[in-house]
Amino acid sequence: MSKIPSGAASAPGGEAAIARPPTQSAFVALLTRLHFYVGLFVGPFILVAAVTGTLFVLTPQIESRIYADALYTDATGPAHSLTEQIAAASTVIGPDDTLFSVRPAPRPGMTSRILFSEPRLQATAEQRAIFVDPVTLAIKGDMNVYGTSSTLPFRTTLDFLHRNLMLGDLGRNYSELAASWLWFAALGGIILWWQASRRERLARRPATGTRARLRRWHSVIGLWIAIGLFFLSATGLTWSRWAGGNIDVAREKLGWVTPPLSTRLTPQAMGGMPAMAGAANEAHDDHGGHAGHGGHTMPNTPVSTDYATRFDAIERSARQAGIDATDIEIRPPRKPDQAWTVRETDRAWPTQVDAIAIDGRDLSVVGRSDFATFPLIAKLIRWGIDTHMGILFGWVNQVLMALFGIALSAMVVLGYAMWWRRRPAPGAPVLTVTQAWTRLGHGARGGIAALAVAVGWALPALGVSLLVFLLVDIARWRLARRGARRAVSPVRA
């Protein structure tokens, strides 16, 4: 009769279960405690990110209703030139405002956006948008918009709420913490579900009771949306503060970056070219996702008539050069040695984000960046982030992301319900990560430690929080050991 290896577990009913090796048992215990810590301490951040993200992806239609007066017009007939639209918008701006860019009306029945930079907005990625009826030249709206997406105020508020709780750079740590741990929680949950299912199969007796039902629902939902959780984590990290910076460095070294658009003019092309007032030529860096993270300093020079008349010619040249999206943005040069840029801004499917640089003097194309030439990884990142934001596939994308957000929220709530029903009673034995760690072999410890250091370096929010978890766990472990020694020590007379 063969011996049962050390560390074997006995199945209910008297049958000896197939034993797990001690290292595997310790690893499962370690993973269980880490999964618990993530759920208990990071769960609230994940829940907030899930709720605010769900609200964000459901807002385009709501926003269209809120700002319908500014976005749409009932006027019919031929549209006035961009020059005339800019002149109309200039009548309501201040003397220190400078022209940033123009977004022509994408289709009949919609307004054009004439964007201006204001001194009070220079520290942000906001511009003042004047909404002009291209048919009547009536001013339909006047509000601040945000970032490369020219996001309207309602959605901007939800964007900030989702990304940083409206607390600036400090608040961005919350969303990065949630994204950094989400993939780990999903992976750990899958492993723990597999182990629990294996135990039930060996015992031939499924767990019963309220907590077992809660765990089953938690596991089933998690398995259904597991791929989505990995996706949300990866795409969320691309525009995070610390991990996002590491991702940018890795992309640059691997050649996975979006090809830059060259806007610098040669000395020959610059000959005789007048200095133009205007907005910064380069787009805000938003990692392809939510609106940009910073603004540019703009020269405080009013819009000149000669300067404004160039927009119509630039638009015609861009159309002739292959810029065929209905949604475009025209940005004038910031300096005399820079070209104008025209960018497609339609990030739905099929993606139209081509960009060209045009010499304002002779209207020649001096640079271009076509989405078709992007590296595959750059395209996947672009599509992934737009899917995360619910804009790539229209309302289908919105519904899908909303369902993911609701399911993730339900998982967090179920996890807390499970913990509450099995919370330890005062004085009960304490199960800690440190205990599981001491049961691991030296090789396993070294491998896990090396992996933790590597992941913690790549994802700093995860690394710092993991260190905090371990310090708390070690303190709990020491207190538990001290209490156990007191319990077994003889009482002196």
Side-chain angles (χ1 to χ4, degrees):
M1 188 175 187
S2 59
K3 295 182 178 180
I4 298 176
S6 175
S10 296
E15 296 182 87
I18 299 176
R20 289 178 296 190
T23 297
Q24 180 182 340
S25 178
F27 173 75
V28 172
L30 178 70
L31 186 61
T32 300
R33 300 314 299 165
L34 282 175
H35 190 78
F36 166 75
Y37 277 140
V38 173
L40 186 63
F41 297 116
V42 185
F45 301 109
I46 295 177
L47 179 61
V48 171
V51 172
T52 56
T54 300
L55 293 175
F56 180 83
V57 300
L58 292 177
T59 53
Q61 290 79 6
I62 299 175
E63 193 171 57
S64 294
R65 289 292 187 92
I66 294 175
Y67 303 110
D69 291 342
L71 297 174
Y72 305 104
T73 173
D74 295 328
T76 58
H80 286 80
S81 66
L82 294 180
T83 302
E84 294 171 299
Q85 295 180 49
I86 294 170
S90 299
T91 62
V92 297
I93 64 170
D96 294 330
D97 295 349
T98 58
L99 186 58
F100 180 82
S101 67
V102 172
R103 296 193 174 209
R107 57 190 62 87
M110 298 192 70
T111 57
S112 297
R113 299 188 193 189
I114 315 299
L115 278 67
F116 295 89
S117 295
E118 291 188 338
R120 66 184 178 85
L121 300 177
Q122 287 184 6
T124 70
E126 290 182 286
Q127 295 86 42
R128 180 183 178 184
I130 307 299
F131 295 78
V132 179
D133 186 331
V135 177
T136 65
L137 297 182
I139 304 302
K140 302 287 289 183
D142 181 353
M143 67 188 81
N144 291 346
V145 296
Y146 185 78
T148 56
S149 300
S150 193
T151 310
L152 300 177
F154 178 66
R155 210 154 186 249
T156 298
T157 300
L158 289 176
D159 181 10
F160 277 114
L161 191 63
H162 176 63
R163 185 153 49 93
N164 59 21
L165 297 177
M166 305 185 75
L167 297 175
D169 285 341
L170 177 63
R172 289 180 65 188
N173 294 320
Y174 115 83
S175 57
E176 182 163 358
L177 183 68
S180 296
W181 279 107
L182 184 57
W183 67 271
F184 179 88
L187 179 61
I190 291 172
I191 295 173
L192 294 177
W193 165 82
W194 180 78
Q195 289 289 337
S197 299
R198 180 173 177 269
R199 286 196 302 269
E200 289 188 358
R201 287 196 305 269
L202 293 173
R204 298 179 182 177
R205 183 184 300 173
T208 58
T210 302
R211 186 176 183 277
R213 287 194 297 272
L214 292 173
R215 186 185 67 189
R216 198 167 290 117
W217 273 106
H218 180 83
S219 301
V220 168
I221 295 174
L223 290 173
W224 271 100
I225 67 171
I227 294 177
L229 298 182
F230 290 122
F231 169 79
L232 290 173
S233 178
T235 52
L237 287 171
T238 57
W239 63 69
S240 62
R241 185 179 184 185
W242 308 109
N246 290 338
I247 292 172
D248 287 345
V249 171
R251 287 178 60 190
E252 186 173 355
K253 289 183 177 180
L254 294 171
W256 291 348
V257 296
T258 300
L261 175 65
S262 175
T263 60
R264 186 167 296 278
L265 299 175
T266 62
Q268 292 78 11
M270 287 168 51
M273 185 176 178
M276 300 180 189
N281 179 52
E282 297 303 322
H284 293 296
D285 178 13
D286 65 354
H287 298 288
H290 293 288
H293 304 316
H296 297 276
T297 302
M298 308 300 172
N300 292 327
T301 308
V303 180
S304 66
T305 303
D306 177 68
Y307 176 64
T309 58
R310 295 175 181 267
F311 278 86
D312 293 289
I314 294 295
E315 183 184 21
R316 287 193 297 269
S317 297
R319 295 301 187 187
Q320 293 170 2
I323 299 297
D324 57 1
T326 57
D327 298 330
I328 65 171
E329 180 180 48
I330 306 170
R331 292 193 181 187
R334 180 183 176 185
K335 300 177 181 178
D337 63 345
Q338 288 182 335
W340 293 64
T341 59
V342 182
R343 297 177 182 271
E344 297 177 335
T345 60
D346 186 358
R347 287 169 16 199
W349 185 270
T351 302
Q352 291 185 287
V353 291
D354 297 344
I356 63 171
I358 298 176
D359 186 334
R361 190 182 61 164
D362 60 10
L363 303 181
S364 62
V365 176
V366 296
R368 67 184 308 132
S369 175
D370 295 315
F371 185 71
T373 65
F374 287 11
L376 177 60
I377 298 299
K379 288 182 178 179
L380 292 176
I381 291 173
R382 169 80 275 159
W383 289 327
I385 291 175
D386 291 340
T387 301
H388 185 123
M389 296 177 67
I391 60 179
L392 186 62
F393 299 112
W395 68 268
V396 175
N397 196 166
Q398 292 178 259
V399 171
L400 180 65
M401 298 310 299
L403 290 176
F404 273 122
I406 294 170
L408 178 56
S409 301
M411 281 186 62
V412 175
V413 173
L414 287 170
Y416 275 104
M418 290 162 53
W419 167 76
W420 183 255
R421 295 194 68 86
R422 201 179 177 182
R423 64 191 185 281
V430 176
L431 301 177
T432 65
V433 171
T434 307
Q435 284 176 303
W437 177 262
T438 58
R439 291 165 54 193
L440 290 170
H442 294 297
R445 290 185 195 178
I448 292 174
L451 182 62
V453 170
V455 174
W457 177 85
L459 308 178
L462 183 149
V464 172
S465 55
L466 176 60
L467 183 60
V468 173
F469 293 164
L470 294 180
L471 291 176
V472 171
D473 187 83
I474 291 171
R476 293 180 69 231
W477 176 66
R478 287 181 178 275
L479 289 173
R481 290 188 65 188
R482 189 178 303 167
R485 290 195 193 102
R486 290 173 181 172
V488 300
S489 60
V491 179
R492 295 182 181 180

